[in-house]
Amino acid sequence: MSMSHLYGTDGDDGVEMENFEVSDWDLQNEFNPHRQRHRQSKEEATYGIWAERDSDEERPSFGGKRSRDYSAPVNFISAGLKKSAAEDMSEEDSDEDEKPVKQEEIPKEFVPKKLKTGGNFKPSQKGFVGGTKSFVDFGSWERHTKGIGQKLLQKMGYVPGRGLGKNAQGIINPIEAKQRKGKGAVGAYGSERTSQSLQDFPVVDSEEEAEEEFQKELSQWRKDPNGGKKKPKYSYKTVEELKAKGRINKQLSTPQKEISQVKVIDMTGREQKVYYSYSQISHKHNIPDNNPQQPLGKDSKLQGFALPELEHNLQLLISITEQEIIQSDRQLQYERDMVVNLTHEIQKMSEVLSHEEKAISNLSKVLEMVEECERRMQPGCENPLTLDECAKIFETLQDKYYEEYRMSDRVDLAVAIVYPLMKDYFKNWDPLKDCTYGTEIIAKWKNLLENDQLLSHGGQDLSTDAFHRLMWEIWMPYVRNIVAQWQPRNCGSMVDFLDSWVNVVPIWILENILDQLIFPKLQKEVESWNPLTDTVPIHSWIHPWLPLMQARLEPLYSPIRNKLANALQKWHPSDSSAKLILQPWKDVFTPGSWEAFMVKNIVPKLGMCLNELIINPHQQHMDAFYWVIDWEGMISVSSLVGLLEKHFFPKWLQVLCSWLSNSPNYEEITKWYLGWKSMFSDQVLAHPSIKDKFNEALDIMNRAVSSSVGGYMQPGARENIAYLTHTERRKDFQYEAMQERREAENMAQRGIGMAASSVPMNFKDLIQTKAEEHNIVFMPVIGKRHEGKQLYTFGRIVIYIDRGVVFVQGEKTWVPTSLQSLIDMAK
């Protein structure tokens, strides 16, 4: 079966060739939605292209007649108005005129081969379904209606002949279509805008400008169709443009160093070329090829004047000239920058030169002064240099030549000049006899020689500070000699000597004197001290060192307390010398150590003295009582109250009861009561335990006068006792109110902010704060006291507070405990 009806045959050889070109028939076939489609037969569906068919059915026609079925019902098709023969002829003529290109004008090799069909499809039918139509009869459909659309538009303000919209901005004519010339893509043949769109939307089209520019550039290398010669165009470059180009290239060449050494293979020419940088590609010249010329074609013409070598040489000369201009400009700019730089360097060097000249002048003057000092220090000099004159010279150096003085080696200068003078100055000095000798001179030299930056904090780098070295090597040997001969019990002269030098001597030297020289002497003397045999009290030669040594004397206190305790073993309170020896140490020892010493060594002796006291209203001996009360300021109030409660008040109340039971004179009892109460100080009477004891005495007296025994024997006794009781109770109340007022005033003076802060005021407040944190009940026990101290319940534990210590009730006695242990026990 032949496939020539699908693929066509070659005219020369008759060989069937497949043609894949798009023909006019293909285009109209695709754009005609109402074309007649070919129905495959059963044989075609089975065998495909190898199916046999008749010659008439080789390709179905789009306009062929089909066999009519006369048995089908009649269908009426509206075809509009029948046109006359003249109108048909005019339409055919217009179709012929609308053909853009004639078939004869197209070269034969570009004409696509048409498919051979057996149908009635006419090649002249080129009009597309979407082609242009005449819009003269636009809206003519209303002739078959009642014109309701036109009426509605006129009611809404439409004026025939004008556009729609409020401002008649709508277009009047329908949208026009423009037929493309060829079969290329959109925009391939220039702008496709119609005259109507240009009129309605007068916008500059950038595509048109680009197209015009492209056509203009394209026409430059085309031959003039008129046959005339093109006028050559010349391009000029000014020197300023070349300079600017050279500066830009210089700026851009710096970051391109990294990619300069890159291997590049150029395959754009006839032969493969290898470059080793991108710059070689950018600077390559259009060198003519050495290959023989190609044979000229039929239409090619011989060139009358073609010298590519000359053109290349001229271009090379132009490039060299441009490079020379750019290089000259760069050299000129470099020279100008060099001039500016050298100008600044000259100014800077002139300033440095003037500064160096000034420094040389100052150094020469300093050298002259130093040489003058050395000359005057020679043994045979008529005008020897004194220490005051040397100090003035150093002051001049420091004031006028400060920089040179700071840069110089002051240590070596002072060693060479000042040290010999200082040795001669302190040659006959005795520190204990004249303690202030040389303080003013040394203070002056301290300001001149001390290195404030290095040694103001108390360092001891002798190699960097001349003053410290001066004090250590010149002044310190005299102090060592005098301390070695000094007796610690004669402390006055040594203390005065160190007090006068404390602001002059460096801190580390003073600490060395106190730690290495003074303290060992004192420690040795304390070890040999005996309080029973020595007539000089120890505090007389220890306490003067407290301002200077302070905590350094702490190791001496323990042996002193031990020696005093041994001396008090056989002591009786009647000996008042013990109080004179111990009283100076109360403020020196810590409160805890002092209280422990008194409780261990003094309180038992006072208790024994109170036991020996005999209370006799008719003949009372008060010596023992006075011996005890005399220690009130030495022992704590609680210790004194404990002694009175245990050794005095039981006997005193017993004597009162026995006196009241023997028909007494109540006026004498009242005087006896008031007399004993006046023996105690206000601080002791304010203690709750002492108040309770005196109130107990008043209660005994009230019960005695209330009973029938002896009450009738003395008229007015009951009223007198009642008045006494009321007076004493009122005094106690007033005293308590006054104390509360004083406490309130003190708290107000401390500040409301401190009271409002979370910091506890005392130990009781701290316990209360901890109890609140751990949800433990902490409250006082009403009416319960122990040794005058208020009892509290901390959870289920009974406690009392004495001088910042918590005491917990044990099985037999009260045990001190820590706050954390108390919290653990309560939980």
Side-chain angles (χ1 to χ4, degrees):
M1 176 183 173
S2 175
M3 303 294 290
S4 60
H5 66 285
L6 292 177
Y7 304 108
T9 58
D10 192 354
D12 300 332
D13 301 333
V15 180
E16 295 180 357
M17 297 177 60
E18 185 177 359
N19 192 354
F20 291 98
E21 294 183 358
V22 179
S23 62
D24 293 341
W25 185 90
D26 294 328
L27 292 174
Q28 293 195 17
N29 182 37
E30 291 299 325
F31 284 98
N32 185 10
H34 302 292
R35 68 181 182 275
Q36 182 181 2
R37 300 181 182 275
H38 174 67
R39 292 177 61 85
Q40 274 188 337
S41 63
K42 186 176 182 181
E43 187 176 0
E44 289 177 350
T46 303
Y47 299 105
I49 61 175
W50 289 279
E52 295 182 356
R53 63 181 71 190
D54 297 335
S55 59
D56 295 338
E57 296 178 358
E58 286 185 357
R59 186 158 186 172
S61 64
F62 288 90
K65 295 182 179 180
R66 293 183 298 176
S67 60
R68 298 181 180 180
D69 186 7
Y70 294 100
S71 63
V74 179
N75 292 329
F76 296 93
I77 300 172
S78 177
L81 299 176
K82 184 178 177 62
K83 297 182 181 180
S84 61
E87 292 178 353
D88 292 339
M89 292 298 294
S90 64
E91 288 182 1
E92 291 179 1
D93 295 339
S94 64
D95 291 341
E96 292 295 332
D97 295 339
E98 289 177 359
K99 292 181 180 180
V101 182
K102 294 182 180 181
Q103 187 72 19
E104 291 79 4
E105 296 177 0
I106 302 175
K108 184 177 181 180
E109 61 269 10
F110 294 101
V111 176
K113 297 181 180 180
K114 300 180 181 179
L115 295 175
K116 295 181 180 181
T117 60
N120 298 326
F121 186 83
K122 297 179 180 181
S124 62
Q125 296 178 357
K126 299 180 181 179
F128 295 174
V129 176
T132 59
K133 296 182 180 180
S134 177
F135 295 96
V136 178
D137 295 333
F138 178 74
S140 61
W141 64 83
E142 289 196 350
R143 70 183 62 175
H144 305 290
T145 64
K146 296 183 180 180
I148 185 63
Q150 188 75 14
K151 294 177 182 179
L152 290 174
L153 289 174
Q154 291 177 357
K155 285 182 180 181
M156 288 185 287
Y158 171 70
V159 178
R162 298 183 62 184
L164 296 177
K166 182 178 180 180
N167 300 322
Q169 68 269 21
I171 60 176
I172 301 174
N173 299 324
I175 299 175
E176 297 180 358
K178 185 177 181 181
Q179 185 176 5
R180 195 175 300 136
K181 295 179 182 180
K183 303 174 184 178
V186 176
Y189 303 98
S191 176
E192 297 185 2
R193 296 184 61 181
T194 61
S195 59
Q196 178 188 353
S197 65
L198 293 174
Q199 182 180 356
D200 294 336
F201 305 100
V203 182
V204 179
D205 195 350
S206 59
E207 295 181 359
E208 293 180 359
E209 295 180 354
E211 179 65 22
E212 292 178 0
E213 186 178 356
F214 173 73
Q215 293 297 336
K216 184 178 179 181
E217 294 177 355
L218 191 64
S219 62
Q220 291 180 1
W221 57 271
R222 286 182 177 176
K223 186 185 295 185
D224 190 0
N226 297 328
K229 293 184 178 180
K230 295 178 66 176
K231 186 177 180 180
K233 295 182 179 180
Y234 300 97
S235 61
Y236 302 94
K237 288 184 182 180
T238 62
V239 176
E240 298 299 330
E241 291 177 355
L242 289 177
K243 292 179 180 180
K245 180 180 178 182
R247 296 190 188 101
I248 295 174
N249 292 338
K250 183 178 181 181
Q251 294 176 0
L252 295 179
S253 62
T254 302
Q256 293 178 354
K257 291 180 179 179
E258 298 179 358
I259 60 174
S260 59
Q261 302 297 330
V262 179
K263 184 178 180 180
V264 182
I265 300 175
D266 185 9
M267 303 182 67
T268 56
R270 296 175 179 173
E271 295 180 358
Q272 175 179 329
K273 297 180 180 180
V274 178
Y275 301 98
Y276 293 96
S277 65
Y278 290 111
S279 60
Q280 294 182 5
I281 298 178
S282 61
H283 292 92
K284 69 176 183 178
H285 303 285
N286 187 15
I287 301 174
D289 296 333
N290 297 324
N291 298 334
Q293 296 183 356
Q294 298 293 335
L296 299 176
K298 297 179 180 180
D299 298 332
S300 61
K301 297 181 179 179
L302 294 174
Q303 295 183 0
F305 187 81
L307 295 174
E309 292 83 359
L310 180 60
E311 292 178 2
H312 168 68
N313 293 336
L314 290 175
Q315 186 65 33
L316 185 60
L317 291 174
I318 292 172
S319 300
I320 293 173
T321 306
E322 290 179 355
Q323 293 299 324
E324 289 179 353
I325 294 173
I326 293 173
Q327 189 66 25
S328 300
D329 178 65
R330 291 179 181 176
Q331 186 67 25
L332 179 61
Q333 187 64 32
Y334 172 77
E335 297 296 339
R336 290 175 180 174
D337 295 341
M338 183 61 68
V339 170
V340 174
N341 190 13
L342 292 177
T343 304
H344 289 293
E345 288 292 335
I346 291 172
Q347 294 177 358
K348 187 184 296 185
M349 294 304 296
S350 61
E351 294 176 359
V352 173
L353 181 61
S354 61
H355 179 74
E356 294 295 336
E357 290 177 353
K358 183 178 178 181
I360 292 172
S361 176
N362 294 337
L363 287 174
S364 61
K365 294 179 181 179
V366 170
L367 185 59
E368 291 177 0
M369 297 175 67
V370 173
E371 290 177 352
E372 180 66 20
C373 292
E374 291 179 352
R375 185 184 63 78
R376 295 179 62 183
M377 288 181 65
Q378 298 299 327
C381 182
E382 297 179 356
N383 186 17
L385 184 66
T386 62
L387 197 59
D388 292 335
E389 293 177 352
C390 186
K392 292 180 180 180
I393 292 174
F394 272 80
E395 287 179 357
T396 304
L397 292 175
Q398 191 173 12
D399 295 338
K400 295 184 179 180
Y401 310 104
Y402 180 78
E403 294 296 333
E404 291 76 9
Y405 177 74
R406 286 294 180 184
M407 289 188 298
S408 63
D409 193 353
R410 289 173 290 170
V411 177
D412 296 337
L413 187 63
V415 169
I417 299 176
V418 182
Y419 284 18
L421 299 176
M422 195 69 69
K423 286 182 179 180
D424 186 64
Y425 183 80
F426 287 106
K427 182 172 55 176
N428 300 321
W429 175 48
D430 188 358
L432 298 180
K433 293 181 180 180
D434 190 2
C435 60
T436 60
Y437 178 79
T439 53
E440 296 180 358
I441 294 294
I442 295 298
K444 185 184 295 185
W445 282 105
K446 179 180 181 181
N447 297 328
L448 295 174
L449 299 178
E450 188 174 27
N451 192 343
D452 299 332
Q453 297 179 353
L454 296 177
L455 299 169
S456 60
H457 53 82
Q460 46 182 328
D461 190 1
L462 299 179
S463 62
T464 57
D465 194 277
F467 176 73
H468 288 229
R469 183 175 175 180
L470 172 68
M471 296 299 293
W472 182 257
E473 296 181 359
I474 305 300
W475 183 83
M476 194 64 181
Y478 295 98
V479 178
R480 291 194 188 98
N481 294 332
I482 200 65
V483 171
Q485 303 172 5
W486 166 68
Q487 294 297 327
R489 301 200 179 193
N490 300 325
C491 63
S493 58
M494 184 61 70
V495 171
D496 294 339
F497 163 69
L498 294 179
D499 284 337
S500 60
W501 285 87
V502 68
N503 295 324
V504 181
V505 178
I507 297 175
W508 66 274
I509 294 180
L510 181 62
E511 292 177 352
N512 181 271
I513 294 172
L514 296 176
D515 294 337
Q516 304 297 330
L517 302 178
I518 303 297
F519 182 77
K521 300 279 287 187
L522 293 176
Q523 189 176 19
K524 184 177 180 180
E525 192 67 23
V526 167
E527 291 176 356
S528 62
W529 170 69
N530 188 358
L532 297 176
T533 59
D534 289 340
T535 57
V536 180
I538 189 173
H539 65 270
S540 62
W541 49 274
I542 292 293
H543 289 184
W545 292 103
L546 287 173
L548 287 173
M549 303 188 71
Q550 296 179 356
R552 291 185 176 90
L553 296 175
E554 194 71 31
L556 301 178
Y557 297 156
S558 180
I560 290 174
R561 285 194 295 267
N562 294 333
K563 290 179 178 291
L564 291 174
N566 294 331
L568 291 173
Q569 289 180 357
K570 298 180 181 181
W571 168 77
H572 191 268
S574 61
D575 184 6
S576 60
S577 63
K579 182 180 178 182
L580 296 176
I581 295 175
L582 294 176
Q583 190 172 8
W585 294 97
K586 181 183 178 184
D587 297 331
V588 176
F589 294 158
T590 60
S593 61
W594 173 258
E595 183 65 21
F597 180 81
M598 300 304 290
V599 170
K600 181 179 179 181
N601 301 288
I602 301 299
V603 173
K605 303 288 185 180
L606 298 178
M608 293 172 59
C609 186
L610 285 178
N611 283 332
E612 297 174 358
L613 176 64
I614 299 174
I615 300 175
N616 186 2
H618 302 289
Q619 188 178 3
Q620 183 67 52
H621 296 282
M622 300 294 295
D623 294 338
F625 183 80
Y626 288 148
W627 295 338
V628 175
I629 292 299
D630 194 32
W631 286 87
E632 181 181 350
M634 299 291 290
I635 63 177
S636 62
V637 176
S638 59
S639 300
L640 181 59
V641 170
L643 287 173
L644 294 174
E645 284 183 333
K646 185 176 181 181
H647 302 288
F648 173 75
F649 278 106
K651 295 189 295 183
W652 186 75
L653 293 175
Q654 185 178 3
V655 171
L656 178 61
C657 293
S658 61
W659 193 4
L660 290 173
S661 62
N662 294 323
S663 300
N665 186 352
Y666 285 97
E667 292 182 359
E668 294 180 357
I669 292 176
T670 302
K671 292 179 181 179
W672 181 79
Y673 171 84
L674 295 176
W676 275 108
K677 191 173 183 180
S678 63
M679 301 297 293
F680 299 98
S681 64
D682 294 338
Q683 188 177 3
V684 176
L685 291 174
H687 198 275
S689 299
I690 304 300
K691 286 182 181 180
D692 292 342
K693 296 299 180 182
F694 281 105
N695 290 332
E696 185 179 353
L698 291 175
D699 293 338
I700 293 173
M701 295 166 63
N702 285 322
R703 286 196 299 269
V705 298
S706 298
S707 62
S708 58
V709 180
Y712 63 93
M713 296 179 61
Q714 186 176 358
R718 182 177 301 175
E719 289 78 6
N720 292 335
I721 297 300
Y723 177 75
L724 177 63
T725 304
H726 177 72
T727 303
E728 294 298 320
R729 299 283 171 81
R730 185 177 61 183
K731 288 181 180 180
D732 294 341
F733 177 76
Q734 290 177 354
Y735 182 80
E736 291 178 357
M738 184 176 63
Q739 290 295 113
E740 292 178 358
R741 192 181 303 110
R742 288 178 180 175
E743 291 179 359
E745 290 177 357
N746 293 334
M747 185 176 295
Q749 291 177 358
R750 292 175 185 174
I752 301 175
M754 183 176 180
S757 63
S758 60
V759 180
M761 298 294 294
N762 49 36
F763 193 64
K764 177 186 172 183
D765 295 338
L766 177 61
I767 295 175
Q768 185 174 358
T769 303
K770 293 295 183 181
E772 291 176 356
E773 292 178 359
H774 296 277
N775 296 325
I776 300 174
V777 178
F778 175 68
M779 59 183 298
V781 180
I782 300 174
K784 297 293 183 180
R785 292 179 178 273
H786 176 73
E787 296 181 354
K789 303 295 189 298
Q790 176 67 48
L791 298 180
Y792 300 91
T793 57
F794 192 83
R796 296 182 180 181
I797 303 173
V798 180
I799 64 171
Y800 77 90
I801 305 170
D802 185 12
R803 296 190 301 275
V805 180
V806 180
F807 290 86
V808 180
Q809 187 177 16
E811 296 179 357
K812 296 182 180 180
T813 182
W814 294 84
V815 181
T817 184
S818 64
L819 184 56
Q820 186 62 39
S821 301
L822 179 64
I823 295 172
D824 296 338
M825 288 188 292
K827 289 184 176 182

